[in-house]
């Protein structure tokens, strides 16, 4: 799709199912909503494994991660069932830089059930809900970076690393508010 400029707000809805029958190091890594800058083509891909398919891109993302990476940059991954706001761009380990991470989730991300995540950014304040509940550590987050005024491509990425993961998207909506006029890009698979 065409690149979009965020003036004031962003709302992303992702409905997904992840399932991995394995445990520990045999599990896959997860999926990521990424918004990358227009310095790269819309079809650009990032690093696999812990990079979730988007780490080498330039921009920001939200990861839905089922693997506790040993190698990371930024805030440490707290467990193998977390959501985090990341800065894309490869760090020394080829992973995104974790800026903020959930401290605990009420559900298991790879339980084979359908989950809906809503990511909202209004005046550079981020909020993430999962299945209608605020995600601990990811509500009213005001990062030092500002996404407004910039132009991005939006997409969903994923990788399994050395493990195994079955992931499916059933809804992916991106809404951008430009001075009160909403522009919506919707992809359903």
């Amino acid at each position: 799709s065409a690149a979009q400029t965020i003036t004031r707000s962003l709302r992303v809805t992702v409905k997904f199912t992840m399932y991995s029958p394995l445990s520990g190091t045999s599990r896959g890594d997860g999926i990521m909503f990424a918004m990358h800058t227009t310095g790269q083509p819309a079809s650009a891909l990032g690093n696999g494994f812990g990079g979730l398919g988007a780490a080498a891109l330039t921009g920001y993302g939200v990861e839905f991660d089922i693997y506790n990476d040993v190698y990371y940059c930024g805030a440490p991954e707290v467990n193998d069932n977390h959501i985090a706001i990341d800065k894309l761009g490869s760090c020394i380990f080829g992973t995104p830089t974790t800026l903020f991470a959930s401290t605990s989730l009420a559900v298991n991300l790879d339980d084979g059930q359908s989950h809906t995540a809503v990511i909202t950014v209004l005046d550079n304040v981020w909020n993430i809900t999962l299945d209608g509940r605020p995600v601990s550590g990811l509500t009213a987050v005001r990062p030092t970076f500002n996404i407004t005024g910039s132009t991005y491509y939006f997409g969903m990425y994923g990788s399994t690393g050395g493990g195994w993961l079955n992931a499916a998207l059933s809804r992916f909506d991106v809404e951008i508010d430009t001075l009160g006029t909403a522009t919506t890009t919707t992809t359903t698979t």
Side-chain angles (χ1 to χ4, degrees):
S1 69
Q4 303 277 333
T5 300
I6 300 171
T7 301
R8 185 166 181 239
S9 69
L10 171 70
R11 179 182 167 95
V12 178
T13 304
V14 180
K15 188 171 184 179
F16 65 92
T17 304
M18 289 196 293
Y19 174 69
S20 178
L22 306 174
S23 62
T25 59
S26 298
R27 295 172 68 195
D29 282 279
I31 60 175
M32 173 182 274
F33 160 71
M35 40 194 276
H36 71 86
T37 59
T38 56
Q40 300 156 313
S43 60
L45 294 175
N47 296 341
F49 295 92
L52 298 172
L57 303 175
T58 302
Y60 301 95
V62 175
E63 67 178 59
F64 303 89
D65 197 337
I66 63 164
Y67 187 77
N68 191 2
D69 290 304
V70 176
Y71 303 105
Y72 58 84
C73 294
E77 295 195 347
V78 293
N79 57 41
D80 62 357
N81 186 57
H82 65 273
I83 298 173
I85 300 172
D86 295 333
K87 179 180 180 190
L88 304 180
S90 290
C91 73
I92 191 169
F93 300 115
T95 62
T97 299
T98 301
L99 302 173
F100 304 94
S102 60
T103 53
S104 65
L105 294 176
V107 299
N108 186 0
L109 291 173
D110 72 334
D111 60 6
Q113 303 299 309
S114 179
H115 298 288
T116 300
V118 178
I119 303 159
T120 58
V121 183
L122 177 61
D123 294 331
N124 210 44
V125 176
W126 292 61
N127 287 286
I128 301 175
T129 63
L130 182 64
D131 298 334
R133 288 175 259 165
V135 175
S136 174
L138 298 177
T139 56
V141 172
R142 185 178 293 275
T144 56
F145 63 87
N146 190 349
I147 65 168
T148 59
S150 298
T151 302
Y152 298 96
Y153 292 109
F154 303 95
M156 290 297 299
Y157 298 82
S159 67
T160 60
W164 189 92
L165 171 70
N166 182 13
L169 291 176
S170 57
R171 179 178 178 188
F172 175 51
D173 298 333
V174 177
E175 302 172 45
I176 300 174
D177 182 5
T178 307
L179 302 174
T181 305
T183 302
T184 304
T185 304
T186 304
T187 304
T188 304
T189 56

